[in-house]
Coordinates of all heavy atoms in Angstrom, one line a residue:
N1358 N -22.1 5.3 43.5 CA -21.5 4.1 42.8 C -22.2 3.8 41.5 O -21.5 3.4 40.5 CB -21.5 2.9 43.8 CG -20.4 3.0 44.9 OD1 -19.5 3.8 44.8 ND2 -20.6 2.2 45.9
K1359 N -23.5 3.9 41.5 CA -24.3 3.6 40.3 C -24.0 4.6 39.2 O -23.8 4.3 38.1 CB -25.8 3.6 40.7 CG -26.6 2.8 39.7 CD -28.0 2.7 40.3 CE -28.8 1.8 39.4 NZ -30.1 1.6 39.8
I1360 N -23.8 5.9 39.6 CA -23.5 6.9 38.7 C -22.1 6.7 38.1 O -21.9 6.8 36.8 CB -23.6 8.3 39.3 CG1 -25.0 8.7 39.6 CG2 -22.9 9.4 38.4 CD1 -25.2 10.0 40.4
V1361 N -21.1 6.4 38.9 CA -19.8 6.1 38.4 C -19.7 4.9 37.5 O -19.1 4.9 36.5 CB -18.8 5.9 39.7 CG1 -17.5 5.4 39.2 CG2 -18.6 7.2 40.4
K1362 N -20.5 3.9 37.9 CA -20.5 2.7 37.0 C -21.1 3.0 35.7 O -20.6 2.6 34.6 CB -21.3 1.6 37.7 CG -21.3 0.3 37.0 CD -22.1 -0.8 37.8 CE -22.1 -2.1 37.0 NZ -22.9 -3.1 37.7
N1363 N -22.2 3.7 35.7 CA -22.9 4.1 34.4 C -22.0 5.0 33.5 O -21.9 4.8 32.3 CB -24.3 4.8 34.7 CG -25.3 3.8 35.1 OD1 -25.2 2.6 34.9 ND2 -26.3 4.3 35.8
L1364 N -21.3 5.9 34.2 CA -20.4 6.8 33.5 C -19.3 6.1 32.9 O -18.9 6.3 31.8 CB -19.9 7.9 34.5 CG -19.1 9.0 33.9 CD1 -20.0 9.8 32.9 CD2 -18.7 10.0 35.0
S1365 N -18.7 5.1 33.6 CA -17.6 4.3 33.1 C -18.1 3.5 31.9 O -17.3 3.3 30.9 CB -17.0 3.5 34.1 OG -17.8 2.4 34.6
I1366 N -19.3 3.0 31.9 CA -19.9 2.2 30.8 C -20.0 3.1 29.6 O -19.6 2.7 28.4 CB -21.2 1.5 31.1 CG1 -21.0 0.4 32.2 CG2 -21.9 1.0 29.9 CD1 -22.3 -0.2 32.8
I1367 N -20.5 4.3 29.8 CA -20.7 5.3 28.7 C -19.3 5.6 28.1 O -19.2 5.6 26.8 CB -21.4 6.5 29.2 CG1 -22.9 6.2 29.4 CG2 -21.4 7.6 28.1 CD1 -23.7 7.2 30.2
V1368 N -18.3 5.9 28.9 CA -17.0 6.2 28.4 C -16.4 5.1 27.7 O -15.8 5.3 26.6 CB -16.1 6.7 29.6 CG1 -14.6 6.8 29.1 CG2 -16.5 8.0 30.2
S1369 N -16.6 3.9 28.2 CA -16.0 2.7 27.5 C -16.7 2.5 26.1 O -16.0 2.2 25.2 CB -16.3 1.4 28.3 OG -15.6 1.5 29.6
L1370 N -18.0 2.7 26.1 CA -18.7 2.6 24.8 C -18.2 3.7 23.8 O -18.0 3.4 22.6 CB -20.2 2.7 25.0 CG -20.9 1.5 25.5 CD1 -22.4 1.8 25.8 CD2 -20.8 0.3 24.5

Side-chain angles (χ1 to χ4, degrees):
N1358 285 342
K1359 201 170 187 181
I1360 289 174
V1361 169
K1362 185 178 178 183
N1363 287 340
L1364 189 59
S1365 68
I1366 290 171
I1367 290 169
V1368 169
S1369 296
L1370 282 172

